Amino acid sequence: MDPASVFALFQASLSPDHATRQHAEEGLKAASAHDGLLAVLMKIMASADLNEDIRKSAAVFFKNRVKYGWDVEESDSAKHPPIGQHDRQFIRDHIVQAIIELPPGISGILSAALQNILEHDFEKWTTFLPEVFAKLQSNDFSTMHGSLVCLHSLMKAFRYKGDQQKVVVDPVVNQFFSVLQPLGLKLVVAETPDAASMLRLIVKVVQKNLALDDILKLDPEARERHQWWKVKKWAFRALHLLLLRCQKKGRGKVEYEVFSSNFLEHFAPNILGAVLGEMEKCIQGVWAARHVRQQMSIFVADNCSRTDYDNVRSVKFLSTWALLKPHAQVLIQQFVFPQLCFSPEDEERWSSDPVEYVQREIDDFGEEDKVNPGAAAQYLLHKIVSQRFNQTIAGVLQFAHGILMAYKTNPNDPTNVRHKHGAIKMVATLSSLLLDKKSPVANQMEQFFVDHVFPEFRSPHSFLRAQAFEMLGHFDDLQFGKESQEIIFHGVLGAIQDPELPVRVYAAQTIPLIVEYESISEALKPHVASIMKLLLELTREIDMDNLTSGMELLALNYPDELAPFAVDLSRQMVESFMAIMSEIASLGDDDIEKKFNPLQAAAGILKTIATLIESIEKLPAALVEMESFLLPVVHFIVQGEVAELYEEIFQIPATFIYLCKAVSPGVWQLWPAIYKLAKETDYFQVEEMFATFDGFIEYGKDVVMQNPELLNQFIDVVRMVLEPSSRVEDDDAAYGCYLAETLLFHLGPYVQQ
């Protein structure tokens, strides 16, 4: 296949124009059947002079094609034709060297494809191990590092293969350990970032081998999937659901009240006793599945809560608290606290997939398919302390203080480091209670930050750096003094350039906080443009709406400082926006939950763009330039009927209209698609589109006067809004009246004709 034509298809697939992009996607789908496409994709990935977004898109396409087309027996030939022999051989001949030579963002994607290939073809691929072994003995860092990445992919490929892993892995260990051990000894004393990176891979390869030694005994993932643990999980869920229903007294149904009261008074305490017994086993070191630990925390937390349905303390609450009270501090210190400490599993997730680490930390553990026992343990801690604040807070704070003092005494002890993470997380969990006016420590919290949080801004431990900035979000109501504000300001400026993604994310989330600091608002001005660019780069790595809300806030507060950069920033935002929309398009129609975060991030980008447009109000040439690349984005969303973004996308043409006090020819080109959307959509979102309609009428009246068809279309819009219909909300009639008033005021004589 011709590389230039394939490159053109990928380039077009990122276009904001719907027709262009759809044509390109159909072209790529058709090209998938050609034996030779994957070889071309590898050449595109290797072309350093090409656009990086396109190279990454090619890598993702390559990985997905391998995932669904390499295994001939399992692949759906109708949707995913099997990969041809020419491509298979080309990949075997070149993928190892590609992983060595390509930048990390692309080689990481290729390593995932390599893992898939090895799962199915390792025994046939007789040249793989000799090639990796030879390259591992090179003196070139990139070659050795890439070889370790390939070896790590092999270990991951056979991590859960049962008896097959022994046949594959044992010979690999025998062959490679004689090279890995002396190499590791050299790297330990090298003290360079490159050496540390290679040493980490060696340790991960060895760890994977140890994990493979006995899956049933050593591998938690295999145990998590065991049927008995699934039975326990659903048993706890059923009990929890029953508890919640009884707490609501049968939802007001008299026939259920007797049963509910009886259950809460006599059965719930006995069930709670059994759950506490299971927790005691965990404290003693007996392994329990993550789902089960999570459900136990939730059940106990909701058992120790006062009901919200009666204005008196319920018998249920008093009886269960009496049972729980003797165990409260033990639960907090020995069941909750260990789950809040930074664990080896957290470290593995941080290093292998930092995006997943961050998203897991912010996920709602209450959703049925979310597993986050640490977050559930925080929920339990907050419930116990909030319900019995006076009886529990002193013990909790004393325990946390002891942990923090141990760290201060010996900050190099790995256990103390992880324990500090747990102690700080305990304090973060209780932030709202500690800042309450009744709290005995409310006026001491700033000093707490000075002593225990601010020093970690420069911690050698990346997870403590991230947590220090996360703490600022938990205590956003704390009124810091000027000296503390200065420390935070400089800490954030440094951390948003941190090499570790989670640190950058948590630092970026504090932007709304430092913007509010009046004492440093002037000092922030010279840094606004660079901060905005760093935030934009971050949104390309992870979809989070609070990152884009920080960008929007900067645009609102510093329009003059950003005006010179508004056009370039908006162009970059459009690229990021289209990349996010491409990601959303790749998800299935049923993946509503997976689309939520990307859609929120996309909405935030559009809001920021609209704010940037306002910053160049007095620069007409810049407005024209921004129109040229923003209006196709508007057309893309309108034509694609992405209803979740209507509020933000219609703000863009409305902003252009009101700033220019005219409807430009480019904006007029949007009207047919907008009118078609209003007329044919199942749900007419009048409120979101109102400002744009109003602007067309007020500032486009000269064009409408000359075009009776246009006038009839605007009259039709007003009629659609005012006439009763399932497509329009009743409250939207007010907008119809406003539009009718605007139409009559500016075009009254023509309407009457």
Side-chain angles (χ1 to χ4, degrees):
M1 298 189 70
D2 177 27
S5 61
V6 176
F7 172 79
L9 286 174
F10 276 103
Q11 190 172 37
S13 71
L14 298 177
S15 168
D17 180 70
H18 176 73
T20 302
R21 194 179 64 264
Q22 186 176 35
H23 179 74
E25 290 169 355
E26 290 173 355
L28 288 171
K29 185 176 180 181
S32 296
H34 289 271
D35 189 5
L37 173 66
L38 298 186
V40 171
L41 294 185
M42 292 191 72
K43 292 173 184 176
I44 290 175
M45 286 182 259
S47 301
D49 57 328
L50 296 181
N51 178 282
E52 186 177 353
D53 287 338
I54 292 177
R55 294 170 71 194
K56 282 187 178 179
S57 294
V60 171
F61 192 95
F62 177 94
K63 181 193 74 171
N64 291 334
R65 184 74 182 94
V66 167
K67 179 179 180 180
Y68 296 110
W70 195 273
D71 186 359
V72 177
E73 294 181 0
E74 293 184 5
S75 65
D76 183 344
S77 58
K79 290 184 178 179
H80 308 287
I83 295 169
Q85 291 304 316
H86 173 269
D87 270 335
R88 290 174 183 268
Q89 191 58 49
F90 187 91
I91 291 169
R92 294 191 195 101
D93 292 343
H94 296 91
I95 193 169
V96 172
Q97 190 62 34
I99 288 173
I100 289 170
E101 293 179 352
L102 292 176
I106 298 175
S107 65
I109 299 171
L110 282 186
S111 68
L114 174 62
Q115 178 183 335
N116 197 282
I117 294 169
L118 290 169
E119 286 180 10
H120 302 292
D121 270 15
F122 174 72
E123 294 180 7
K124 303 175 190 175
W125 192 356
T126 56
T127 61
F128 174 75
L129 281 182
E131 181 181 4
V132 174
F133 188 75
K135 292 181 183 299
L136 188 59
Q137 299 177 77
S138 166
N139 291 321
D140 176 66
F141 165 76
S142 296
T143 303
M144 290 189 292
H145 187 275
S147 302
L148 286 170
V149 171
C150 294
L151 186 58
H152 186 238
S153 294
L154 174 63
M155 291 297 185
K156 289 171 69 177
F158 288 90
R159 188 174 184 181
Y160 304 120
K161 295 296 184 181
D163 293 336
Q164 187 184 2
Q165 48 108 9
K166 288 288 184 185
V167 177
V168 173
V169 173
D170 285 355
V172 173
V173 172
N174 293 336
Q175 180 180 2
F176 280 82
F177 192 75
S178 60
V179 177
L180 294 178
Q181 185 193 29
L183 177 58
L185 291 173
K186 283 183 185 178
L187 294 171
V188 167
V189 297
E191 296 186 356
T192 65
D194 288 347
S197 177
M198 286 182 60
L199 189 60
R200 180 176 67 87
L201 276 172
I202 290 175
V203 172
K204 289 177 75 173
V205 167
V206 174
Q207 182 269 332
K208 288 290 189 300
N209 174 54
L210 293 174
L212 290 169
D213 188 50
D214 190 341
I215 287 180
L216 291 177
K217 292 181 179 178
L218 299 179
D219 183 21
E221 292 299 328
R223 294 166 120 180
E224 292 278 352
R225 296 191 295 269
H226 198 284
Q227 293 301 317
W228 280 114
W229 285 111
K230 292 182 179 180
V231 170
K232 274 199 171 188
K233 175 188 75 174
W234 287 107
F236 278 117
R237 280 195 173 175
L239 289 172
H240 182 238
L241 182 60
L242 183 59
L243 172 71
L244 293 180
R245 288 191 175 180
C246 288
Q247 283 180 337
K248 294 180 180 180
K249 295 286 182 74
R251 298 186 179 181
K253 296 180 180 179
V254 176
E255 61 267 32
Y256 293 139
E257 288 191 8
V258 174
F259 171 81
S260 297
S261 298
N262 193 40
F263 175 86
L264 294 174
E265 184 174 354
H266 300 292
F267 287 88
N270 292 329
I271 297 171
L272 177 61
V275 175
L276 290 174
E278 292 296 308
M279 288 178 157
E280 178 61 28
K281 292 179 183 178
C282 293
I283 291 171
Q284 293 172 359
V286 177
W287 187 89
R290 293 193 299 269
H291 255 306
V292 171
R293 283 187 281 124
Q294 176 168 308
Q295 291 301 318
M296 287 193 293
S297 293
I298 297 171
F299 183 86
V300 174
D302 288 342
N303 243 294
C304 71
S305 304
R306 293 179 172 89
T307 63
D308 295 328
Y309 306 96
D310 296 302
N311 293 323
V312 297
R313 293 183 181 180
S314 64
V315 174
K316 181 269 314 183
F317 175 76
L318 294 173
S319 59
T320 54
W321 172 249
L323 184 62
L324 182 63
K325 183 178 178 180
H327 306 279
Q329 291 299 333
V330 174
L331 275 181
I332 290 170
Q333 296 176 19
Q334 299 183 37
F335 181 79
V336 171
F337 172 71
Q339 296 187 75
L340 305 188
C341 297
F342 194 76
S343 67
E345 291 78 14
D346 293 329
E347 189 171 7
E348 165 71 17
R349 189 176 292 107
W350 178 298
S351 61
S352 62
D353 194 342
V355 171
E356 183 192 350
Y357 174 86
V358 173
Q359 291 175 337
R360 180 179 177 274
E361 287 297 298
I362 63 174
D363 268 341
D364 180 6
F365 69 89
E367 295 179 23
E368 186 169 305
D369 61 341
K370 300 296 184 184
V371 188
N372 193 337
Q378 287 181 273
Y379 176 65
L380 172 58
L381 171 63
H382 190 275
K383 280 286 188 178
I384 291 176
V385 177
S386 64
Q387 298 296 333
R388 291 285 178 171
F389 185 81
N390 293 332
Q391 293 95 323
T392 57
I393 189 63
V396 173
L397 293 180
Q398 185 177 0
F399 174 74
H401 180 75
I403 297 293
L404 296 173
M405 288 301 102
Y407 172 82
K408 261 195 168 181
T409 303
N410 187 1
N412 297 319
D413 185 320
T415 300
N416 288 346
V417 174
R418 294 181 186 276
H419 281 184
K420 176 167 186 177
H421 184 270
I424 294 293
K425 187 165 275 193
M426 290 177 75
V427 175
T429 303
L430 303 174
S431 58
S432 60
L433 303 175
L434 297 176
L435 290 178
D436 188 88
K437 60 183 180 181
K438 296 180 181 179
S439 168
V441 296
N443 61 352
Q444 302 173 35
M445 291 315 300
E446 180 171 5
Q447 189 60 45
F448 176 85
F449 271 79
V450 172
D451 293 340
H452 303 293
V453 179
F454 293 161
E456 303 306 336
F457 284 173
R458 298 184 180 278
S459 171
H461 308 288
S462 55
F463 60 90
L464 288 184
R465 294 199 303 274
Q467 187 184 50
F469 293 103
E470 183 185 11
M471 276 286 284
L472 294 172
H474 286 289
F475 286 86
D476 55 350
D477 290 334
L478 181 58
Q479 300 300 312
F480 288 103
K482 287 187 178 181
E483 189 174 337
S484 294
Q485 291 180 15
E486 192 77 15
I487 294 171
I488 294 169
F489 172 62
H490 290 293
V492 171
L493 286 185
I496 56 176
Q497 302 178 71
D498 195 279
E500 298 287 344
L501 182 136
V503 180
R504 298 199 302 276
V505 169
Y506 285 118
Q509 289 181 334
T510 67
I511 295 296
L513 178 67
I514 66 171
V515 167
E516 297 298 320
Y517 292 160
E518 187 176 343
S519 64
I520 57 175
S521 59
E522 285 296 318
L524 190 61
K525 287 182 178 180
H527 306 282
V528 170
S530 59
I531 291 174
M532 185 73 92
K533 289 177 182 177
L534 289 168
L535 291 178
L536 185 56
E537 290 174 9
L538 200 53
T539 61
R540 293 175 178 171
E541 297 181 75
I542 184 169
D543 300 324
M544 292 180 65
D545 63 302
N546 48 6
L547 295 181
T548 51
S549 65
M551 289 166 34
E552 184 185 2
L553 198 59
L554 288 176
L556 282 169
N557 284 273
Y558 298 94
D560 294 338
E561 286 72 25
L562 289 174
F565 310 96
V567 174
D568 288 339
L569 283 171
S570 296
R571 283 189 187 277
Q572 294 174 43
M573 287 182 184
V574 167
E575 292 176 7
S576 296
F577 176 81
M578 293 309 301
I580 291 172
M581 296 310 296
S582 179
E583 175 192 342
I584 292 171
S586 69
L587 298 172
D589 292 337
D590 297 330
D591 290 334
I592 298 174
E593 184 182 334
K594 290 181 180 179
K595 291 180 179 180
F596 180 77
N597 282 337
L599 281 169
Q600 291 291 97
I605 289 176
L606 293 176
K607 288 179 182 177
T608 306
I609 288 174
T611 306
L612 286 173
I613 296 171
E614 294 178 6
S615 73
I616 57 170
E617 179 180 5
K618 298 177 182 178
L619 302 172
L623 282 171
V624 171
E625 186 176 357
M626 287 183 76
E627 256 198 15
S628 68
F629 60 83
L630 288 176
L631 295 184
V633 177
V634 179
H635 191 270
F636 162 68
I637 295 298
V638 171
Q639 192 174 48
E641 297 189 18
V642 187
E644 298 87 346
L645 298 177
Y646 284 171
E647 179 181 353
E648 294 78 18
I649 202 65
F650 280 107
Q651 191 177 353
I652 291 177
T655 303
F656 278 124
I657 291 172
Y658 288 108
L659 289 181
C660 299
K661 292 183 171 46
V663 182
S664 69
V667 174
W668 269 120
Q669 289 178 11
L670 296 173
W671 174 251
I674 293 174
Y675 175 65
K676 183 174 183 290
L677 176 68
K679 196 168 182 63
E680 298 179 2
T681 185
D682 292 334
Y683 175 59
F684 188 2
Q685 297 191 27
V686 180
E687 182 178 358
E688 288 79 358
M689 303 166 73
F690 168 75
T692 302
F693 288 142
D694 192 66
F696 269 114
I697 297 169
E698 181 176 355
Y699 294 105
K701 58 181 178 292
D702 291 340
V703 175
V704 179
M705 289 176 187
Q706 307 300 321
N707 192 325
E709 184 181 355
L710 265 180
L711 178 60
N712 287 331
Q713 289 175 355
F714 282 110
I715 294 172
D716 191 31
V717 167
V718 174
R719 184 183 298 113
M720 285 188 287
V721 178
L722 291 177
E723 288 180 351
S725 167
S726 59
R727 298 173 61 239
V728 179
E729 296 286 344
D730 292 340
D731 293 344
D732 288 336
Y735 292 106
C737 294
Y738 292 142
L739 287 176
E741 182 182 13
T742 302
L743 196 63
L744 291 171
F745 182 81
H746 293 284
L747 296 162
Y750 297 88
V751 173
Q752 293 171 3
Q753 292 176 9

